[in-house]
Amino acid sequence: MAHPSITVLMTAYNAMPYIRETVASILGQTHRDFTLLILNNGSLDGTGEYLRELEAESGGPGKKPLLRIVHLGKNIGRTPVLNKGLEMVETDITAILDADDIALPERIARTLNFFVSHPDIDLVGSDITYIDGMGNIIGEAHYPTGHTELCRR
């Protein structure tokens, strides 16, 4: 079975200096057939300039992964910008990534494989490994995996 399409949705507000590494972690995915949709939520710190450079270097339509960047004139808040991004998604599956996160190289492939193997599932999440500015592990967060435990949390 072919993998369904997926959009990686990222919102960014004053995300420098982390956003470069975050974007690189997505563009370096082993699965290449996806859209990276970034909403610049009125950043004032150079994030917008970086995203404009990224747009210019993206190679245009037809390239994989496809890059879509939307610049909002002002910060509309975290939840409203996420909702705006979700309204713009044109794929069946959406992965949300914060602008200061780093995705492991197989995140998209593993997500797609899971949904293909479990068509009855609508939502997935993951544990988190926290790192410092040097990439050293400084902590972890583990989340429930069962339906009842998730609902309770």
Side-chain angles (χ1 to χ4, degrees):
M1 174 185 226
H3 285 302
S5 299
I6 186 169
T7 297
V8 177
L9 173 60
M10 180 188 310
T11 63
Y13 175 70
N14 291 345
M16 298 303 285
Y18 306 108
I19 193 168
R20 289 181 191 272
E21 190 170 3
T22 301
V23 168
S25 77
I26 290 298
L27 296 180
Q29 291 291 299
T30 57
H31 181 88
R32 305 292 298 158
D33 186 15
F34 64 90
T35 299
L36 174 55
L37 172 59
I38 305 173
L39 279 74
N40 176 19
N41 196 14
S43 295
L44 305 171
D45 70 342
T47 298
E49 290 79 6
Y50 163 69
L51 293 174
R52 284 182 193 77
E53 291 172 17
L54 190 62
E55 280 178 298
E57 298 168 0
S58 72
K63 297 289 277 187
K64 295 294 180 186
L66 177 63
L67 178 65
R68 292 178 55 201
I69 299 175
V70 176
H71 298 275
L72 304 179
K74 65 177 184 170
N75 185 317
I76 63 172
R78 170 100 170 121
T79 301
V81 75
L82 272 173
N83 286 334
K84 185 174 193 67
L86 288 169
E87 290 172 4
M88 299 174 70
V89 169
E90 298 174 348
T91 58
D92 292 334
I93 300 172
T94 305
I96 296 175
L97 184 73
D98 290 340
D100 64 348
D101 291 348
I102 298 171
L104 295 175
E106 293 187 357
R107 178 187 177 183
I108 293 174
R110 292 180 68 175
T111 299
L112 288 172
N113 286 334
F114 185 85
F115 279 117
V116 167
S117 301
H118 301 84
D120 56 321
I121 301 293
D122 294 318
L123 180 69
V124 297
S126 69
D127 291 342
I128 299 169
T129 300
Y130 294 101
I131 59 173
D132 63 17
M134 301 298 293
N136 300 308
I137 296 174
I138 58 172
E140 294 181 343
H142 300 282
Y143 297 94
T145 58
H147 178 76
T148 303
E149 296 86 10
L150 284 169
C151 290
R152 209 174 296 147
R153 178 139 182 180

